[in-house]
């Protein structure tokens, strides 16, 4: 696809996560990577990551991070947590809700346990060694960036050569913040009028576990 054709398709948004993954892969092909491995952030990032892994001829695995929602607004992420490692929080949001990390301790532990359960469910074979490799972490979009931030920090513990965060669409402030966390951030669309990730997809239905297992089987886990 020519650059002009790619740009035109991207401006119109995405048909679904698979379409978004194909357009994202076109951007990622431009990077020079060493022995890459692709991780899709469960759940919605996995179908996107499947297209990226296929294009890069790389193994596909699943990363899990769980958001810690605000009281009465569970979709608003005050922070996020992975199966291991400390939770990450947005200090500005904590202050706005008059909360601290201690007040969210039970929520954090509940989401950590769910992250562990999902990691076990999605594990295919032995864990892949990431040391010295370029790791591409893929999600379907960035709103606050909370779960992506937690996942990037988790991946750092495995000593990869680099961590590339790749998303089809993201809020500009979230993308800017994640550039301080990942070595490289690739984002196809950064709309100024960003309200939600789903507004940039014509089909944004929830991804199921069955779709995740199918994607892992189709692409291969290395």
């Amino acid at each position: 696809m020519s650059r002009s054709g790619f740009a035109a398709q991207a401006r119109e948004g995405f048909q679904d996560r698979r379409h978004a993954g194909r357009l994202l892969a076109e951007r990622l092909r431009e990077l020079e990577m060493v022995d890459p491995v692709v991780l899709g952030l469960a759940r919605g990032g996995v179908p996107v990551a499947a297209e990226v892994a296929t294009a890069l001829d790389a193994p596909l695995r699943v990363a899990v991070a769980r958001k810690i929602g605000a009281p009465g607004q569970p979709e608003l992420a005050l922070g996020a947590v992975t199966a291991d490692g400390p939770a990450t929080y947005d200090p500005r949001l904590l202050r706005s809700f008059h909360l601290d990390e201690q007040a969210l301790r039970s929520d954090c532990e509940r989401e950590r346990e769910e992250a562990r359960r999902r990691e076990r469910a999605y594990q295919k074979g032995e864990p892949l060694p990431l040391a010295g490799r370029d790791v591409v972490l893929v999600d379907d979009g960035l709103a606050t960036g909370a779960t992506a931030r937690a996942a990037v920090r988790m991946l750092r513990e495995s000593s990869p050569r680099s961590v590339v965060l790749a998303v089809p669409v993201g809020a500009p402030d979230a993308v800017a913040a994640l550039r301080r966390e990942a070595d490289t951030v690739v984002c196809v669309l950064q709309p100024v009028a960003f309200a939600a990730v789903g507004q940039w997809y014509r089909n944004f239905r929830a991804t199921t576990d069955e779709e995740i297992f199918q994607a892992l089987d189709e692409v291969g886990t290395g």
Side-chain angles (χ1 to χ4, degrees):
M1 182 187 299
S2 68
R3 282 187 173 269
S4 60
F6 170 85
Q9 280 203 38
R11 283 194 299 270
E12 296 171 0
F14 313 104
Q15 297 168 12
D16 54 23
R17 290 180 178 87
R18 291 281 188 164
H19 176 235
R22 291 192 291 274
L23 293 181
L24 183 60
E26 291 291 331
R27 291 281 299 274
L28 289 164
R29 288 180 192 274
E30 300 173 3
L31 303 181
E32 293 184 5
M33 289 188 277
V34 174
D35 196 16
V37 58
V38 176
L39 286 90
L41 198 53
R43 289 176 171 138
V46 178
V48 185
E51 297 294 334
V52 170
T54 298
L56 299 181
D57 194 23
L60 173 66
R61 290 296 179 98
V62 180
V64 180
R66 299 285 297 173
K67 66 183 172 184
I68 301 169
Q73 300 181 50
E75 292 304 311
L76 176 61
L78 299 180
V81 65
T82 59
D84 299 297
T88 63
Y89 292 96
D90 184 323
R92 178 183 58 84
L93 286 175
L94 288 182
R95 288 193 297 270
S96 70
F97 281 88
H98 306 289
L99 294 169
D100 58 22
E101 294 185 24
Q102 184 62 31
L104 295 167
R105 184 175 178 179
S106 62
D107 292 348
C108 174
E109 289 307 312
R110 183 182 65 250
E111 295 303 335
R112 189 191 303 280
E113 186 56 38
E114 177 62 14
R116 289 171 177 159
R117 185 193 71 78
R118 292 196 180 200
E119 276 198 353
R120 292 192 296 268
Y122 301 144
Q123 182 68 43
K124 300 280 283 188
E126 294 298 317
L128 285 179
L130 301 181
R133 306 175 75 169
D134 288 313
V135 177
V136 184
L137 177 67
V138 180
D139 203 358
D140 54 12
L142 291 178
T144 67
T147 52
R149 181 179 299 107
V152 167
R153 292 182 181 181
M154 172 190 68
L155 292 171
R156 290 283 190 206
E157 298 300 314
S158 299
S159 302
R161 177 176 178 268
S162 72
V163 178
V164 178
L165 175 62
V167 293
V169 61
D173 57 345
V175 173
L178 265 297
R179 292 193 193 281
R180 297 191 290 271
E181 301 281 347
D183 295 290
T184 304
V185 177
V186 176
C187 181
V188 178
L189 288 178
Q190 296 184 56
V192 174
F194 182 97
V197 171
Q199 78 184 101
W200 301 97
Y201 288 82
R202 288 188 279 282
N203 177 353
F204 197 64
R205 64 177 179 78
T207 301
T208 66
D209 283 348
E210 289 71 21
E211 288 175 293
I212 291 177
F213 300 138
Q214 181 180 354
L216 292 171
D217 288 340
E218 286 177 356
V219 179
T221 59

